Structure formats: structure tokens, C-alpha cells
Amino acid sequence: MQEFAETGLPWDQNVFKAYLAYAKTPGLGGESVEHPVRVAQLFNNVAASDTQLQALSLLAYIPEDAYGQLERRFGKETTDFAREVSAHMRTNWAYIDEASPKVKAFVMADNITWIDELQNKFYEVAQSLNEAQENGRQPQIQMPMIPSQRVLDNIAKFAVNSSGVPALEGEFIDKIEEFRRSLPEKLEVFGLKAAPAPEFKPFNETGLLNDSTVKAAYAALAANPRVKADDAEVALEAAQLLSSQPSTRNPVGIAAALLDIGIGWRGPDDFKFLGNRVSDDVIDLFEKYNVRDRGAPEGITNAPVEYRQSALAFATVILHRSLKNLDKMFTFIADNPDRFEPEQAKLIKTTQLAQMGGLVKSAQKFLGEIGDSAQAPELKGLYETKIAAAQEFIKDQTPKPVLMLPAPRKKPGKDFDL
């Protein structure tokens, strides 16, 4: 880590103390050890008179177990800033609209710096790839962390015009637009494509239960830039299924299903931030239960009925989508015989049918566990229908064994003699 005199930061008492405090911690380590210094340097360029922002940017990455010392040396305001930054970092800035102006300024400076560092990393990767190709060897490259364009756009939506640092806001807009233009080329270096963004229709076009509790959960899901397109589709289909049956039109259950299925990864900070957006009943279900791992401490038959119904709807949607995708795959193979060697096509089909067979067994086991406890006869009947359809598909697509028939007897001729 470079010496303070080499950083170009002002000889301000608080900035110097913050630099020393960061230098004594593990920091980010590796190539990123200088990152907080670069953020402070950026603040020095766009807001030289605000030495507090420069100091805070050096302290933002200090580990939480050092917050006690941080407060004794720098005061409660600084520690509160560090805690707020940490909470927003852990949620990937999904709730940046609730952040204070200083945290909004920090997140813009932080991401500008990450994008610049990523640009340098891509140059190194491209050079390594060229050298490997020239020498005829397999390139050894490490995938850098690539910011999500949706996260960056979300930051711009809520931080610009409200951070108190106009010069930084303008630079952030320019930086993310430049990043948007260059991202496809960067991803191509790794043979990747940008993940599709989820599409959220207006609520009145979703087919969901028209209830304020459900509306609030849908709005929270649509506003979260971490939500993946596939997760959003599955969440919406499961919630639509629950909304369509008389026995499952429970607003709390439908709302919890949207968040539970749609937000794949979540932590305590999500529960805190979402507590300002959805009802306590929904947060309670969302925090304690997870339909993806069917985790219910008291056993699924003793879990809240809303959770049981969500789990059954999720299982139904997953089985339906799996069977639909498998049918598309087999149809594609059949329609494009020139693209697959016979043995390759056979291996693909055998593998996929075995996986579907495992999914069917899991579905049957789950159906036996949940029984009638979901109190959703229509949904249970639909799930049974999907299981039967999957079994029929496996039966139809599994090659029939070739029977070895005995050779036909010779028909007696004119010279036949007993």
C-alpha cells in the first residue's frame, strides 16, 4: 500500500487518521488493497473541500468487528456511516433509495473506481489471452467481478440529484453509459453474454390477486435489481397459480411466495429494508421459510399453511417448466438430425430422461410428505397431473428393448416327408 504522501490526498488531520486506521486493518487485500484510497482520491478531485467524504471513504471498508475502536477514535457519526454502507453493500445497493446523501455519494464514487479498475483488468486479461494463443497453450485467467448494469442504473435512478455532489453525479452518469457501451465487448473476452433483465408488467396485467399486500410485494420484487429473469418468471407463475384457485387466494401467502421465490439470496439486511415496504406477516414468512430448500424446522406438515401452499405451487411450476423444456430439447434434436451424431443424441436423451426420472421421484416423495396438509385440493390435483405427464413422457421417449425372436420355420415343400 502506498505511503500517504504519495496519495495526493490533502494533509488534513481526519483524512490522515482515516488513512492510518485503514492501513492497520486487513482491508480488501490483494489487488484491491488500494481501492479505498482511489475512492478518496476521486472525492478529492470532484469535491476537494469536503474532506469528511475523503475520510469516510477510507473507513467504509473497515471490518465490522473493529467498529468499537472506530467509534472511539472517530465518533458515532462515522460508525453509523460505516454500518449503513455495509448494509447496502451486502444487499448490492438494492435499497439505495433509502440511503443517506453521503452514502449515495460514496456508492457512486465506489462504483466509478471499480469500473476503472475493471477496465485495467480487462486489458491484462486480453493480453494474457493473446500470449496464450501465440504460444499454443491454455490461458489461465481469473474472472473479475463485473458490476451489474441493472444495479448501476438503480444507483443512478436514486442517487443522482440527491447526493449533494453534482460533479460526482455527472461523472457517474458518463461512466455507466461508457460501461454500458463497452460491456458486450468485455464479456465476449470471456465467452459470456449479459444476463437478460426480468420483465415486470403493470400489476393489473399480471393476473395476481388484486390486494394491497400482494401489490406491495410485487412492487418490492420489481424494484430489486438483483432479481434474475428466470427467478422472476417462476415467482410470478407460482403466485399466479395461487391467485387462480379459490383455496389458495391468501394475500399473505401470495406476497410471500413472490419474494421467497423471486429473491434467491437474502439476508438480515433484506428483511430490515423490506420491512419498510411489505407487511409484517409477509416478512415473517419470508424470513423463516424458504420453498427452494423446503426448509421448515417444524416439518412441512406443521409449517404455516401459506408456506405449504407456496411450496406446492413452486413444485408444480418447476415440474411443468422442466417437462416443457425437455420436450423442446427432444423436438429440436429430432428436427435437426444433422447437428447430432446418433450416439451423441442417444446419450443426451438418456441423461436427460434419467434426470427427469429423478425429479419425478422427488416430486412423488414431496407429494407424500405434504399430503392434504396444504388444504389446496385443486393445486394438489394439478401437481398429480404434472407428475403423471412427466411419467408418460419418460415412458414414450425411452427406447423399447429389441426382442430376439426365433428364426421362422421353413415352410414344408413338395418333398416334405415325415
Side-chain angles (χ1 to χ4, degrees):
M1 184 170 171
Q2 60 185 317
E3 297 294 331
F4 183 79
E6 301 171 350
T7 64
L9 296 174
W11 286 99
D12 176 86
Q13 181 180 2
N14 287 330
V15 175
F16 183 60
K17 283 173 59 180
Y19 170 87
L20 292 178
Y22 172 72
K24 291 179 181 178
T25 68
L28 294 176
E31 298 177 357
S32 301
V33 69
E34 300 281 356
H35 177 81
V37 176
R38 296 188 185 110
V39 177
Q41 290 169 333
L42 176 57
F43 275 127
N44 190 35
N45 292 336
V46 299
S49 61
D50 196 338
T51 54
Q52 184 190 30
L53 273 175
Q54 297 173 48
L56 291 174
S57 64
L58 289 163
L59 300 172
Y61 283 97
I62 286 181
E64 292 192 15
D65 55 9
Y67 281 0
Q69 294 179 350
L70 186 67
E71 184 166 344
R72 285 191 294 272
R73 294 191 62 188
F74 295 94
K76 185 175 182 301
E77 183 180 354
T78 298
T79 310
D80 289 344
F81 169 85
R83 283 198 175 95
E84 186 182 358
V85 166
S86 293
H88 283 291
M89 278 186 179
R90 285 190 293 266
T91 55
N92 204 7
W93 316 106
Y95 313 99
I96 193 64
D97 54 315
E98 297 186 26
S100 63
K102 287 190 181 300
V103 170
K104 289 178 179 179
F106 171 81
V107 64
M108 287 190 290
D110 185 57
N111 277 277
I112 288 172
T113 306
W114 280 127
I115 291 173
D116 286 340
E117 292 168 359
L118 180 65
Q119 181 71 19
N120 295 332
K121 185 67 176 177
F122 270 115
Y123 286 139
E124 294 176 10
V125 169
Q127 184 177 356
S128 297
L129 288 172
N130 289 334
E131 291 177 356
Q133 289 175 354
E134 291 174 359
N135 298 325
R137 56 181 173 80
Q138 189 70 20
Q140 298 293 325
I141 56 176
Q142 184 177 0
M143 184 71 177
M145 184 184 70
I146 302 176
S148 162
Q149 187 68 55
R150 293 181 60 232
V151 170
L152 295 174
D153 290 341
N154 192 58
I155 293 169
K157 179 179 179 181
F158 294 108
V160 171
N161 297 325
S162 62
S163 72
V165 190
L168 179 66
E169 294 171 357
E171 186 166 342
F172 181 68
I173 291 296
D174 292 341
K175 187 64 65 176
I176 66 172
E177 288 306 316
E178 176 190 339
F179 181 75
R180 191 193 314 278
R181 290 191 297 270
S182 64
L183 183 59
E185 182 182 355
K186 289 181 170 63
L187 292 176
E188 189 176 351
V189 171
F190 296 97
L192 301 174
K193 291 184 179 180
E199 296 181 6
F200 292 98
K201 299 178 181 179
F203 183 81
N204 58 3
E205 297 178 12
T206 62
L208 297 174
L209 181 67
N210 189 9
D211 181 272
S212 59
T213 300
V214 180
K215 285 182 180 178
Y218 183 75
L221 184 68
N224 194 317
R226 292 181 301 164
V227 175
K228 299 177 181 178
D230 192 60
D231 289 343
E233 288 179 10
V234 174
L236 187 58
E237 288 179 26
Q240 288 168 336
L241 194 54
L242 293 170
S243 298
S244 68
Q245 306 300 325
S247 59
T248 55
R249 291 191 185 123
N250 183 321
V252 172
I254 296 170
L258 282 169
L259 298 180
D260 185 13
I261 301 170
I263 303 177
W265 182 93
R266 66 277 193 143
D269 298 295
D270 290 280
F271 308 140
K272 181 185 71 173
F273 285 120
L274 286 170
N276 301 325
R277 304 170 188 235
V278 298
S279 70
D280 292 342
D281 291 341
V282 174
I283 287 294
D284 188 57
L285 274 174
F286 180 52
E287 183 174 358
K288 293 179 180 177
Y289 300 95
N290 187 330
V291 298
R292 291 182 183 276
D293 60 14
R294 295 174 185 166
E298 65 273 54
I300 194 164
T301 55
N302 297 315
V305 68
E306 294 91 348
Y307 170 72
R308 283 176 263 149
Q309 292 178 350
S310 294
L312 187 54
F314 174 69
T316 303
V317 169
I318 289 298
L319 187 56
H320 171 76
R321 288 166 65 91
S322 299
L323 183 58
K324 183 179 178 181
N325 291 336
L326 190 59
D327 184 48
K328 283 183 179 179
M329 179 189 293
F330 278 39
T331 301
F332 181 81
I333 292 173
D335 293 343
N336 298 272
D338 296 338
R339 299 185 64 170
F340 301 91
E341 295 291 337
E343 287 301 317
Q344 181 188 25
K346 181 180 178 181
L347 178 61
I348 292 173
K349 288 184 176 182
T350 301
T351 302
Q352 293 299 319
L353 288 173
Q355 291 180 0
M356 177 57 70
L359 185 59
V360 167
K361 288 182 180 179
S362 176
Q364 290 172 323
K365 180 181 177 183
F366 174 64
L367 187 62
E369 291 173 351
I370 200 167
D372 295 322
S373 68
Q375 301 174 29
E378 309 98 335
L379 196 52
K380 181 186 176 186
L382 179 59
Y383 191 45
E384 291 171 334
T385 300
K386 297 298 179 185
I387 292 174
Q391 290 174 317
E392 189 66 24
F393 182 87
I394 294 172
K395 179 182 176 182
D396 291 343
Q397 295 294 334
T398 300
K400 305 299 184 292
V402 179
L403 299 178
M404 297 298 293
L405 299 176
R409 294 180 180 179
K410 185 178 180 181
K411 190 174 181 179
K414 293 181 181 179
D415 58 347
F416 180 75
D417 189 350
L418 289 176

